[in-house]
Amino acid sequence: MTKTLHHRACHLCEAICGLTIETTASEDADLQITSIKGDTQDTFSRGHICPKAVALQDIQNDPDRLRQPMRRVGSQWQPIAWDDAFALVADRLSAIQERHGQNAVAIYQGNPSVHNYGLMTHSNYFLSLLKTRNRFSATSVDQLPHHLSSYLMYGHGFLLPIPDIDHTDFMLILGGNPLASNGSIMTVPDVEKRLKAIQARGGKVVVVDPRRSETAAMADQHVFVRPGGDAALLFGLLNTLFAEGLTRDSHLPVDGLEDVRQAVSGFSAEAMSPLCSVPAAQIRQLARDFSSAKTAVCYGRMGVSTQAFGTLCHWLVQLINLVTGNLDRVGGALCTEPAVDLVASTSGGHFNLWQSRVSGRPEYGGEFPVSALAEEILTEGEGQVRALVTVAGNPVLSTPNGRQLEHALDGLEFMLSIDLYINETTRYADLILPSTSALENDHYDTTFNMFAVRNVSRFNRAILPKPEGALHDWEIFVGLAQAFAARTGKTLKPTMPPAQMIDFGLRAGPYGDASTHKLSVASLFDHPHGVDLGALKANLAPRLKTANQRVQAAPPAILADLARFAALQAPPADELLMIGRRHVRSNNSWMHNYHRLVKGKPRHQLLMHPDDLASRGLCDGQRVRVSSRIGEIEVEVMGSADMMKGVVSLPHGWGHARPGVRMTIAMAQPGSSANDLTDERQLDELSGNAVLNGVPVTVAAA
Ligand SMILES: Nc1nc2c(c(=O)[nH]1)N[C@H]1C(S)=C(S)[C@@H](COP(=O)(O)OP(=O)(O)OC[C@H]3O[C@@H](n4cnc5c(=O)[nH]c(N)nc54)[C@H](O)[C@@H]3O)O[C@H]1N2
Ligand SMILES: Nc1nc2c(c(=O)[nH]1)N[C@H]1C(S)=C(S)[C@@H](COP(=O)(O)OP(=O)(O)OC[C@H]3O[C@@H](n4cnc5c(=O)[nH]c(N)nc54)[C@H](O)[C@@H]3O)O[C@H]1N2
Ligand code: SF4
Ligand SMILES: [Mo]
């Protein structure tokens, strides 16, 4: 028996923790993973991991995980050879496009598309050949408002200032629960340690959340906010900063600040308080505390992007950092300078250059909001979607009105899924193409190094051999592109493996050959624990991509959205709003099939304040029916004094009891899908991002 230790990162979530993985080889068995631990020598994560990393071995060994292409014949799945599968896709998609036009094929790209470098580097090699405008992704159920506000203010959707968590004296968190999520658009392994360090150096952490989340519980102050009320709270803060003279000049070149001051002049803390259910005095004090801290940073995440004023929220977050002098400042919010720099190598983006066929929703970066996907399939007429390609996504469980989407998928002429499982979405596919598993694949994180709280770099080598007959995601896209090009007579540009692309990116980047660090893929091989490229620094001014290289504080598209906000009414007294929740042992919809993560008591109950239970005559542990405009589900309710009154919390990604799913462990403890309640018509109208938090519901005994 030979034991070997490997060092590479986990890339299941954004924290990219370093792992030490032991494999054991013996003569009579395949190479086995015998232990997964945090890598204490990792320059960035310093030994931190969460329970999901240990489950990497369960993904590897899961008998339900697909290991060869599968074709659906009636209700049966049959293996099919790769070349036959590629030819089938080329035939079906090209025939549909010949008959109905290019837009008749739609694309949905899910979350792992940014967690797996082969999907990052090569999906467009195939997908761009389809030349369809019907592109969708998980971005519009997530961080679209971050990109849009950055694009409009700084000229590039990836110029996302990150909290300088290691140097700040005051961290104001709205709608993020990094203790469960491990941080998002803030790549920060061991976030708990770093938050405690703020407190240890005499600083403060304040959390704004309708639930006393795990992060709120460790914070110095927790502010309950009505779901969807954050724009009002943030307006109240900004107004107070101006009105009480609490602003500080910025070193950045800025246009439009006077327009902002005027635009928010009516939004006093007193006027905003009824809309967010935060007392005016508390809003004013928060503004004073924030501005008087030596350094401070305001950070908003999922809870504030997936709500009706998501883009206004993220614009306001930027402005609060800007007018207090904390934007582009150590201890405030800083842009990264990653070794492979997507800001330098990609165009800034575009917005609303064209609109979706049925509801006229705006494109951002060439994608429509995914809330419009089902209607594009279901609405007859010229340009109707007849075929769908899903890549690493499960929109039935992750996008609003999942039941309507299921109905739409059922009527497609052809569906291709590139995925590891037969799940709630892929069970509708005609063909599923599975890639190698994470540990059989190399990886370089082009996405999350963009958001990291330090500039770091690491190349992760595959630690298990590629099984015979298996293909990496990138090779699947190359196979599809070649077959489609051959079938349609298109010429295909040559491509190269992802590692080679990364090597070019590293050499062209700020730490590349020309500078002293001399980063390249080969040089990173010598640093299995990662390379630390230093703390974040002020760099925004020279990186601005706006036409005049100045920060645009008052983009016209955003100012135009203020009228929608101004029409907002105070909520009715009997309002009940649903929000989401994440748990550290779960990961969106697809990691419920591993016993070690789901064992113990269920974690997918509806949380409700005890007073709200009592007023409905309900008791803890009872089965309840939750209804919204679009549907109803049954779940177990759990009383929780951590909930704000008038708010219930249900995690998404559950609801595995659907016919045809092949995920044995997940199906044994299925839960119900929050997105059978979320409403595809409830949007941040400006960006088209879905409202997943603040969904009106009623709850009654089942
Ligand atoms: N109500 C509500 N809904 C939400 C959210 C919420 O908070 N509340 N959160 C939203 C957010 S932030 C997101 S990001 C979305 C996620 O939504 P999706 O991206 O649609 O869903 P996931 O559950 O991440 O599904 C990932 C899929 O990728 C497959 N997969 C995993 N690894 C690989 C790989 O390496 N290659 C390939 N080809 N496939 C792979 C898995 O089998 C799974 O089918 O959900 C959103 N939906
Ligand atoms: N364990 C685990 N980790 C994950 C994931 C996972 O599914 N599980 N998913 C990954 C993905 S795809 C993402 S995008 C990130 C998300 O990372 P986070 O944004 O940190 O994720 P959440 O835990 O959903 O935190 C959202 C918080 O917003 C609160 N909230 C809800 N509505 C409102 C509101 O109206 N206003 C305010 N102020 N707060 C509100 C919720 O109560 C919750 O505490 O997590 C990533 N990490
Ligand atoms: S926090 Fe957990 S899932 Fe995320 S990268 Fe680290 S070990 Fe992996
Ligand atoms: Mo996400």
Side-chain angles (χ1 to χ4, degrees):
M1 288 225 290
T2 327
K3 289 187 184 298
T4 315
L5 288 184
H6 313 259
H7 305 287
R8 63 166 285 163
C10 169
H11 46 93
L12 289 167
C13 90
E14 300 176 39
I16 54 174
C17 303
L19 305 176
T20 298
I21 304 180
E22 184 194 76
T23 56
T24 305
S26 61
E27 266 165 34
D28 51 349
D30 288 343
L31 191 65
Q32 290 292 326
I33 300 162
T34 35
S35 120
I36 300 182
K37 293 196 174 111
D39 178 2
T40 49
Q41 294 174 73
D42 187 276
T43 49
F44 192 35
S45 60
R46 310 178 289 203
H48 174 79
I49 52 165
C50 84
K52 290 186 290 295
V54 190
L56 279 166
Q57 59 195 295
D58 305 330
I59 304 178
Q60 184 61 35
N61 300 328
D62 187 356
D64 287 334
R65 180 167 62 85
L66 300 179
R67 286 162 171 82
Q68 56 185 327
M70 300 297 274
R71 181 185 188 179
R72 186 160 54 82
V73 183
S75 58
Q76 301 296 309
W77 289 96
Q78 294 174 356
I80 173 174
W82 283 108
D83 285 340
D84 296 340
F86 295 150
L88 177 71
V89 174
D91 283 348
R92 296 299 309 274
L93 293 185
S94 62
I96 288 169
Q97 288 192 317
E98 273 158 30
R99 243 182 303 130
H100 303 290
Q102 283 164 335
N103 295 336
V105 176
I107 297 162
Y108 173 83
Q109 291 176 271
N111 168 275
S113 299
V114 289
H115 287 269
N116 168 339
Y117 87 154
L119 291 170
M120 290 283 295
T121 55
H122 281 78
S123 17
N124 262 338
Y125 193 60
F126 167 58
L127 298 176
S128 65
L129 294 179
L130 298 173
K131 294 206 180 326
T132 173
R133 283 198 167 173
N134 279 312
R135 296 190 74 141
F136 304 85
S137 81
T139 291
S140 49
V141 280
D142 188 351
Q143 81 288 1
L144 174 55
H146 291 254
H147 295 310
L148 181 56
S149 50
S150 281
Y151 166 66
L152 294 172
M153 297 178 78
Y154 312 132
H156 199 295
F158 273 117
L159 275 176
L160 295 163
I162 307 302
D164 189 12
I165 189 170
D166 289 340
H167 304 103
T168 195
D169 300 291
F170 193 104
M171 187 153 171
L172 172 59
I173 303 176
L174 300 102
N177 184 14
L179 257 59
S181 68
N182 287 298
S184 182
I185 315 211
M186 169 176 68
T187 284
V188 53
D190 66 2
V191 66
E192 187 170 5
K193 260 194 226 154
R194 292 177 198 243
L195 288 172
K196 284 185 174 151
I198 298 177
Q199 296 170 321
R201 59 179 177 262
K204 254 182 113 174
V205 178
V206 180
V207 173
V208 177
D209 199 304
R211 179 172 80 92
R212 187 176 153 84
S213 66
E214 293 76 1
T215 311
M218 71 155 291
D220 300 275
Q221 188 187 351
H222 170 214
V223 178
F224 277 117
V225 66
R226 172 182 169 247
D230 300 84
L233 170 63
L234 291 162
F235 273 124
L237 290 174
L238 188 60
N239 176 288
T240 307
L241 292 170
F242 283 130
E244 298 190 5
L246 304 174
T247 58
R248 207 183 306 174
D249 286 338
S250 169
H251 64 281
L252 291 164
V254 183
D255 287 341
L257 255 191
E258 198 41 46
D259 296 330
V260 170
R261 183 197 294 271
Q262 279 176 23
V264 308
S265 61
F267 299 149
S268 67
E270 289 69 24
M272 295 297 99
S273 170
L275 301 175
C276 57
S277 307
V278 181
Q282 200 178 9
I283 300 177
R284 287 190 179 273
Q285 191 55 46
L286 191 52
R288 292 172 199 140
D289 293 347
F290 190 90
S291 67
S292 64
K294 198 155 69 159
T295 62
V297 62
C298 181
Y299 160 75
R301 205 32 214 113
M302 263 299 286
V304 288
S305 53
T306 54
Q307 56 164 275
F309 297 101
T311 308
L312 285 187
C313 285
H314 285 292
W315 170 67
L316 287 163
V317 165
Q318 302 306 315
L319 286 177
I320 286 171
N321 289 329
L322 174 69
V323 305
T324 54
N326 285 300
L327 179 64
D328 196 41
R329 174 184 187 213
V330 170
L334 290 165
C335 284
T336 59
E337 204 159 348
V340 177
D341 186 1
L342 300 183
V343 171
S345 63
T346 60
S347 81
H350 46 82
F351 173 56
N352 205 10
L353 294 185
W354 57 88
Q355 294 78 32
S356 68
R357 178 181 64 107
V358 179
S359 293
R361 299 291 174 199
E363 61 80 30
Y364 172 80
E367 288 179 6
F368 292 132
V370 69
S371 293
L373 172 57
E375 69 184 16
E376 292 295 335
I377 302 173
L378 292 169
T379 311
E380 286 174 15
E382 177 139 2
Q384 182 182 2
V385 169
R386 321 252 175 178
L388 176 67
V389 179
T390 72
V391 180
N394 191 2
V396 164
L397 292 193
S398 54
T399 69
N401 204 346
R403 291 286 176 193
Q404 183 196 41
L405 185 61
E406 285 183 312
H407 173 58
L409 299 184
D410 204 24
L412 286 170
E413 286 177 30
F414 183 73
M415 179 169 155
L416 162 68
S417 291
I418 299 162
D419 207 287
L420 308 175
Y421 285 96
I422 303 175
N423 64 23
E424 298 73 14
T425 298
T426 61
R427 69 198 164 110
Y428 290 100
D430 296 281
L431 193 64
I432 307 178
L433 305 181
S435 59
T436 49
S437 75
L439 299 179
E440 294 162 354
N441 211 333
D442 297 335
H443 180 64
Y444 184 91
D445 231 299
T446 46
T447 315
F448 299 106
N449 284 316
M450 289 291 310
F451 307 149
V453 300
R454 287 186 73 84
N455 292 310
V456 287
S457 182
R458 172 178 32 215
F459 191 86
N460 301 287
R461 304 175 81 163
I463 63 165
L464 296 173
K466 184 173 156 190
E468 208 179 308
L471 293 182
H472 297 309
D473 279 299
W474 73 273
E475 294 171 313
I476 296 175
F477 288 110
V478 171
L480 287 167
Q482 285 170 344
F484 191 80
R487 171 69 175 71
T488 53
K490 288 184 174 139
T491 45
L492 202 56
K493 277 186 264 160
T495 185
M496 57 178 91
Q500 212 177 330
M501 290 186 184
I502 296 303
D503 196 51
F504 279 112
L506 287 168
R507 289 171 191 274
Y511 316 92
D513 272 350
S515 70
T516 47
H517 293 287
K518 291 201 190 305
L519 278 196
S520 64
V521 166
S523 74
L524 289 178
F525 283 173
D526 300 333
H527 299 277
H529 310 288
V531 176
D532 182 42
L533 302 167
L536 306 188
K537 312 190 278 281
N539 65 2
L540 185 56
R543 277 164 82 80
L544 287 169
K545 293 281 179 97
T546 46
N548 65 359
Q549 286 230 345
R550 298 171 67 83
V551 171
Q552 298 305 311
I558 290 190
L559 290 192
D561 202 35
L562 293 186
R564 191 169 63 94
F565 175 77
L568 193 66
Q569 304 282 323
D574 61 347
E575 169 183 81
L576 189 63
L577 297 175
M578 182 181 78
I579 62 169
R581 179 167 91 242
R582 282 177 160 76
H583 191 280
V584 74
R585 305 186 81 88
S586 182
N587 188 25
N588 294 328
S589 76
W590 71 280
M591 290 194 69
H592 300 148
N593 210 42
Y594 315 116
H595 177 69
R596 99 175 67 221
L597 293 183
V598 293
K599 68 180 180 211
K601 56 179 181 350
R603 287 178 281 266
H604 45 65
Q605 300 95 336
L606 183 79
L607 301 184
M608 191 178 217
H609 192 275
D611 292 355
D612 286 331
L613 281 179
S615 67
R616 286 167 181 77
L618 300 171
C619 52
D620 192 61
Q622 187 175 347
R623 297 281 303 168
V624 293
R625 189 181 311 119
V626 191
S627 315
S628 72
R629 182 190 75 85
I630 62 127
E632 57 180 48
I633 60 169
E634 269 189 32
V635 282
E636 187 185 309
V637 71
M638 205 163 106
S640 166
D642 290 333
M643 293 305 303
M644 188 174 181
K645 282 185 209 172
V647 183
V648 289
S649 155
L650 188 71
H652 76 288
W654 298 89
H656 306 298
R658 280 149 145 100
V661 173
R662 282 220 204 145
M663 302 184 81
T664 317
I665 297 173
M667 288 157 69
Q669 213 198 79
S672 298
S673 177
N675 288 313
D676 289 348
L677 296 171
T678 54
D679 188 338
E680 83 286 2
R681 292 193 208 155
Q682 231 191 315
L683 296 174
D684 168 28
E685 297 282 334
L686 175 54
S687 64
N689 206 47
V691 172
L692 306 171
N693 288 292
V695 178
V697 292
T698 56
V699 176

